[in-house]
Amino acid sequence: MDIPLLVRDFGSDIAAGGLSMMIVALYYLWLGRQVRRDPTFTIHGVNKLARTLWVLHVMRHPAKDVMAVQTLRNFIMGASLMASTATLLIIGTLTLSGQAESISRTWHVLNVGGAHAAELWIIKVICLLVDFIVAFFAFVMAVRLVNHVVFMINTPEPDAHHNLAPEAVARRLNRAGNLFAIGMRAFFFAVPLMFWLFGPAFLVVATIGLVLTLQRLDRSEPAPD
């Protein structure tokens, strides 16, 4: 493939994609630095702590087993709904890929400075498809792990195996929570990818808007003075 020709034809989209990835990377570098200073800086850290304390409390008080099963059932239902939503979005994205030639002409009406080639449209749709597939597998894996926790959390003899200890069960539940968060994050990142279908400028603007939104959503409430 002729690299200079590729840069000439798709340079603006390549630059917009690189800039968007850099913006996201800088945000997560900043977020990781804050989390290293304070593990509960983000709402995810607070949720991790809450899940850990919840598992320890439930396993130390067997009378809470019904409440535990109901809570985990609600988690499974939510993750299953999100996995089903991801499946529908995957089907819709595949439908878009089959209409590249006709849709690309109309969707690129507002595309200023970007390429209008059908090949580029397919690449954009593939990126969107991969994003939804990641979301699907994240939610499905979250359901799988919580199904394990449903039985582990009611184990009458947690000392029978080290993986049945309350701390180990809490780690498994936290992995499920992290996967659920990854699935939701994949849905969030689908927004700039969708705007990319209209042109590279829309991708950059949508990425900046998403990062500003995540900066507010990710941070936990500071302690009162």
Side-chain angles (χ1 to χ4, degrees):
M1 182 177 294
D2 191 347
I3 300 299
L5 182 61
L6 181 66
V7 172
R8 187 193 67 187
D9 293 341
F10 307 127
S12 58
D13 287 278
I14 294 173
L19 180 59
S20 297
M21 288 189 290
M22 184 181 69
I23 292 172
V24 173
L26 289 175
Y27 169 70
Y28 276 103
L29 286 174
W30 171 80
L31 194 64
R33 183 177 181 183
Q34 298 299 324
V35 170
R36 284 193 295 271
R37 293 178 178 176
D38 178 12
T40 58
F41 177 82
T42 66
I43 191 63
H44 306 291
V46 176
N47 289 338
K48 180 180 179 180
L49 177 61
R51 286 191 293 263
T52 300
L53 296 176
W54 180 78
V55 170
L56 297 179
H57 175 72
V58 169
M59 296 190 71
R60 289 168 182 169
H61 299 82
K64 302 287 185 179
D65 55 351
V66 176
M67 178 269 292
V69 171
Q70 290 178 339
T71 302
L72 293 173
R73 181 195 63 186
N74 292 338
F75 186 103
I76 291 173
M77 290 176 61
S80 299
L81 175 62
M82 293 295 101
S84 300
T85 303
T87 302
L88 293 176
L89 292 171
I90 290 171
I91 295 173
T93 305
L94 289 173
T95 302
L96 281 179
S97 66
Q99 303 174 7
E101 191 67 34
S102 58
I103 296 181
S104 62
R105 291 194 298 268
T106 57
W107 285 43
H108 280 169
V109 171
L110 300 177
N111 188 355
V112 179
H116 296 73
E119 295 83 0
L120 180 60
W121 170 271
I122 292 296
I123 293 174
K124 294 177 181 180
V125 172
I126 289 175
C127 291
L128 189 60
L129 179 63
V130 170
D131 183 77
F132 289 139
I133 290 175
V134 169
F136 171 78
F137 276 103
F139 288 126
V140 169
M141 289 299 297
V143 172
R144 172 180 175 270
L145 289 173
V146 175
N147 275 323
H148 296 172
V149 175
V150 168
F151 293 95
M152 293 178 174
I153 204 167
N154 289 320
T155 302
E157 298 180 7
D159 297 332
H161 194 276
H162 64 275
N163 281 323
L164 299 178
E167 293 77 10
V169 177
R171 286 194 297 271
R172 187 171 291 269
L173 182 59
N174 277 324
R175 283 199 291 271
N178 292 337
L179 286 166
F180 191 94
I182 290 172
M184 292 301 299
R185 195 54 49 103
F187 277 175
F188 291 155
F189 282 118
V191 174
L193 289 175
M194 281 293 296
F195 275 100
W196 191 22
L197 298 175
F198 295 95
F202 292 96
L203 170 63
V204 176
V205 173
T207 302
I208 294 173
L210 177 62
V211 168
L212 292 176
T213 303
L214 291 178
Q215 195 275 335
R216 296 181 62 86
L217 294 178
D218 287 341
R219 186 173 181 179
S220 61
E221 293 186 11
D225 296 333

